[in-house]
Amino acid sequence: MKKDYSQYIKHLIAVDCIIFGFDGENLNLLLVKRNFEPKKGEWSLVGGFVNAEETLDDSANRVLTSLTGLENIYLEQLKCYSELEREPTARIISVSYYALISTDENIRINEKYSAKWFDLKQFPNLIFDHNKMVQNAVTRLRYRASTQPIGFELLPEKFTMKDLQSLYEVIFDEKYDKRNFISKINSMDILVKTDEKDMTSSRKGSFLYRFDKEKYHKKLSQGYLFKI
Amino acid sequence: MKKDYSQYIKHLIAVDCIIFGFDGENLNLLLVKRNFEPKKGEWSLVGGFVNAEETLDDSANRVLTSLTGLENIYLEQLKCYSELEREPTARIISVSYYALISTDENIRINEKYSAKWFDLKQFPNLIFDHNKMVQNAVTRLRYRASTQPIGFELLPEKFTMKDLQSLYEVIFDEKYDKRNFISKINSMDILVKTDEKDMTSSRKGSFLYRFDKEKYHKKLSQGYLFKI
DNA sequence: CCAAAAGTGTTACTCATACACCCATGA
DNA sequence: TCATGGGTGTATGAGTAACACTTTTGG
């Protein structure tokens, strides 16, 4: 007996991307303005349909590159949304992804999307179930950030300890003690202190650090677990 | 401008279920033997295609009920697998779910599936990418079990402390100290000690406990976080 | 009375938290 | 010289981990 696949119905599948950025102070969300019906003119996550010869990761990458001009963006699949009435005009199953964009990336937003960054703490109401997608993305981002060094994806290559602390404070919506934070980070031993200083924030200047990916992966393979 | 959806291609979507059970000693996996090509006769996760008027959760529930006769099984969506060549005969996108089945459930396996329980520590090689699905499911199960009281889904309604400890030991593949484990559980204050004893395991007998779902949810709403 | 599992508290240690002052520099 | 942010160490408390003996009872 051979399976006959033709009896099964097929579905439209889309990806929707929750794009996070960090400006040194707030977590931001890159949203696009719909230029077609339904819900034309309203804010939405950027998305696109999955093509025939494409994995979901491929689709999400294509959508992100088309919007931002960037390649190799950090991306993680989140969840599949399949409520029958989630989009009014057609039955579309959508898979959400979240992306992390570093502030020093040479981002060049494609005009056709009318995209805009919004503070994660106050962004407009989104179409369909996109609000829920964002909510779930924040939950996952927090979990990931607490167990893996993905925070660095949101920072420029070189950053100050204050940048790093501000980032984690805004991700987890908590304040940390400067000394405790720094000694925790130092005890991880996965940063390299450069001999450069950021002179824009103070007269004294503050040292810049880099995330040492090789060292981290070496420690990982020796059983080290990132935990913040 | 209105979007024309007809230009986008549609996909076959399936769900695949990783079904966990606990027999008091080991975590088990319920697998089915394929009775159609390709890979006829090999072991596989139970799955099925997503119908038109069905969410993914609906599909997974339908598949599980068809196999086990049970309703209201604990179920969580895991991940969407979309590699182009993941199934050789057709491009099928599959969403994995994991399910937890309690040992005291009146499970009545549908004969047509040739299903069988296997110890999670030694089960046969599975078709396609199902091995990877299982691996990811175990990771998620561990995470969930450490942050939410889902362990009870795998136990009968009444269970001994030893049952509970054995369960967590096999989930996390670690041994715990009896006294520390019990005092941790007691400090959570989410179990009810019944006045019944399980007399099968010893002459003295050991008290049976129930998970107090109401109390847990009340504590949850007051900010309590389950953590083991 | 003995074998086998159930039940029960205390101590030591590790890790997280709280906390305040001096330093370097450009204006 | 002073105003501003950068950089640094210690003491306390909480929570986790280590550890052994007594109780019960059916055979």
Side-chain angles (χ1 to χ4, degrees):
Chain A
M1 185 174 112
K2 190 157 175 174
K3 195 97 174 186
D4 173 22
Y5 292 121
S6 67
Q7 64 177 295
Y8 298 106
I9 75 130
K10 295 187 169 188
H11 303 264
L12 284 171
I13 307 188
V15 293
D16 285 304
C17 300
I18 298 98
I19 306 172
F20 292 110
F22 177 63
D23 59 12
E25 196 171 343
N26 293 302
L27 267 181
N28 298 315
L29 210 49
L30 188 57
L31 300 173
V32 302
K33 201 179 220 163
R34 296 266 284 195
N35 59 0
F36 52 87
E37 295 295 347
K39 306 272 182 184
K40 184 170 175 172
E42 295 192 36
W43 292 97
S44 132
L45 297 172
V46 66
F49 285 95
V50 176
N51 296 330
E53 301 288 318
E54 229 184 19
T55 65
L56 291 165
D57 287 10
D58 290 341
S59 299
N61 273 307
R62 172 172 54 78
V63 164
L64 283 170
T65 300
S66 160
L67 173 61
T68 64
L70 303 174
E71 313 229 353
N72 301 318
I73 295 177
Y74 179 91
L75 203 57
E76 184 183 347
Q77 191 195 107
L78 284 167
K79 192 171 167 8
C80 201
Y81 294 79
S82 64
E83 290 300 312
L84 298 180
E85 307 295 338
R86 55 175 298 279
E87 299 207 20
T89 48
R91 205 280 160 102
I92 301 174
I93 293 175
S94 183
V95 181
S96 63
Y97 276 80
Y98 78 92
L100 304 181
I101 292 185
S102 160
T103 41
D104 71 340
E105 295 272 11
N106 192 7
I107 184 169
R108 187 82 214 128
I109 306 255
N110 190 328
E111 300 287 345
K112 80 172 183 202
Y113 288 99
S114 318
K116 205 180 140 193
W117 286 104
F118 288 90
D119 183 346
L120 187 59
K121 290 199 187 99
Q122 39 186 343
F123 61 92
N125 193 44
L126 305 181
I127 62 168
F128 310 150
D129 47 6
H130 289 197
N131 288 303
K132 171 155 273 198
M133 289 183 180
V134 171
Q135 206 179 305
N136 288 339
V138 171
T139 303
R140 181 76 68 93
L141 172 63
R142 285 183 175 159
Y143 169 59
R144 246 345 138 224
S146 72
T147 56
Q148 277 169 32
I150 60 166
F152 306 110
E153 302 286 344
L154 288 162
L155 291 170
E157 200 211 325
K158 293 171 188 171
F159 49 85
T160 66
M161 280 290 182
K162 187 170 170 39
D163 292 336
L164 189 61
Q165 180 173 348
S166 301
L167 173 62
Y168 279 102
E169 285 180 340
V170 71
I171 289 177
F172 294 110
D173 195 21
E174 279 190 59
K175 287 286 170 193
Y176 303 115
D177 177 84
K178 185 168 54 161
R179 280 167 292 187
N180 291 342
F181 183 82
I182 291 175
S183 54
K184 190 171 202 171
I185 296 294
N186 282 334
S187 75
M188 292 180 181
D189 191 28
I190 54 177
L191 294 192
V192 180
K193 185 177 191 169
T194 72
D195 50 12
E196 298 167 65
K197 280 191 166 189
D198 168 27
M199 300 305 293
T200 64
S201 60
S202 73
R203 309 187 195 286
K204 188 180 177 181
S206 63
F207 279 104
L208 291 166
Y209 292 78
R210 279 190 308 101
F211 172 51
D212 190 338
K213 213 172 270 195
E214 288 70 37
K215 195 170 202 174
Y216 169 67
H217 280 109
K218 194 175 164 195
K219 294 189 74 166
L220 243 197
S221 68
Q222 292 166 358
Y224 172 73
L225 284 183
F226 181 92
K227 184 89 196 80
I228 203 161
Chain B
M1 185 176 111
K2 190 157 174 174
K3 193 97 174 185
D4 173 21
Y5 292 120
S6 68
Q7 64 177 293
Y8 299 106
I9 76 130
K10 295 187 170 188
H11 303 263
L12 283 171
I13 308 188
V15 294
D16 285 304
C17 300
I18 297 98
I19 305 173
F20 292 109
F22 177 63
D23 59 13
E25 197 171 341
N26 293 303
L27 268 182
N28 297 313
L29 211 49
L30 188 56
L31 300 173
V32 301
K33 201 180 220 164
R34 297 266 284 195
N35 59 0
F36 53 87
E37 295 296 345
K39 307 271 183 185
K40 184 170 174 172
E42 296 192 35
W43 292 96
S44 131
L45 297 172
V46 66
F49 286 96
V50 176
N51 296 330
E53 302 288 318
E54 228 184 19
T55 66
L56 291 164
D57 287 11
D58 290 341
S59 299
N61 273 306
R62 172 173 53 78
V63 164
L64 283 170
T65 302
S66 161
L67 172 62
T68 65
L70 303 174
E71 314 228 353
N72 301 319
I73 296 178
Y74 179 91
L75 202 59
E76 184 183 347
Q77 191 195 107
L78 285 167
K79 191 170 165 9
C80 202
Y81 294 79
S82 63
E83 291 300 313
L84 299 180
E85 306 294 340
R86 57 174 296 282
E87 298 208 20
T89 47
R91 205 277 160 103
I92 301 174
I93 293 176
S94 183
V95 181
S96 63
Y97 276 81
Y98 79 92
L100 304 181
I101 292 185
S102 159
T103 40
D104 72 338
E105 295 270 13
N106 192 7
I107 183 169
R108 187 80 213 130
I109 306 257
N110 190 328
E111 300 287 345
K112 79 172 182 203
Y113 289 99
S114 317
K116 206 180 140 193
W117 286 103
F118 288 90
D119 184 345
L120 187 58
K121 290 200 186 99
Q122 39 186 342
F123 62 92
N125 193 44
L126 306 180
I127 62 168
F128 310 150
D129 47 5
H130 290 196
N131 288 304
K132 170 155 275 198
M133 289 183 179
V134 171
Q135 204 179 307
N136 288 340
V138 171
T139 302
R140 181 76 68 93
L141 172 64
R142 286 184 174 159
Y143 169 59
R144 243 350 134 224
S146 72
T147 56
Q148 277 170 32
I150 60 166
F152 307 111
E153 303 287 343
L154 289 162
L155 290 170
E157 201 211 326
K158 294 170 188 169
F159 49 84
T160 64
M161 280 290 182
K162 186 172 169 43
D163 291 336
L164 190 61
Q165 180 173 348
S166 302
L167 173 62
Y168 279 100
E169 286 180 341
V170 71
I171 289 177
F172 295 109
D173 195 22
E174 280 190 57
K175 286 286 171 195
Y176 304 114
D177 177 83
K178 185 168 54 161
R179 281 166 292 187
N180 292 340
F181 183 82
I182 291 175
S183 53
K184 190 170 202 171
I185 297 293
N186 282 334
S187 75
M188 291 180 183
D189 190 28
I190 54 176
L191 294 191
V192 180
K193 186 177 191 168
T194 72
D195 50 11
E196 298 167 65
K197 280 189 164 187
D198 168 26
M199 300 305 294
T200 63
S201 61
S202 73
R203 308 188 195 285
K204 189 179 178 181
S206 63
F207 280 104
L208 291 166
Y209 292 79
R210 279 190 308 102
F211 172 52
D212 190 338
K213 211 172 271 194
E214 289 70 38
K215 195 169 204 175
Y216 169 67
H217 281 109
K218 194 175 163 192
K219 294 189 73 167
L220 241 197
S221 68
Q222 291 166 358
Y224 172 72
L225 284 183
F226 181 92
K227 184 88 197 82
I228 201 159

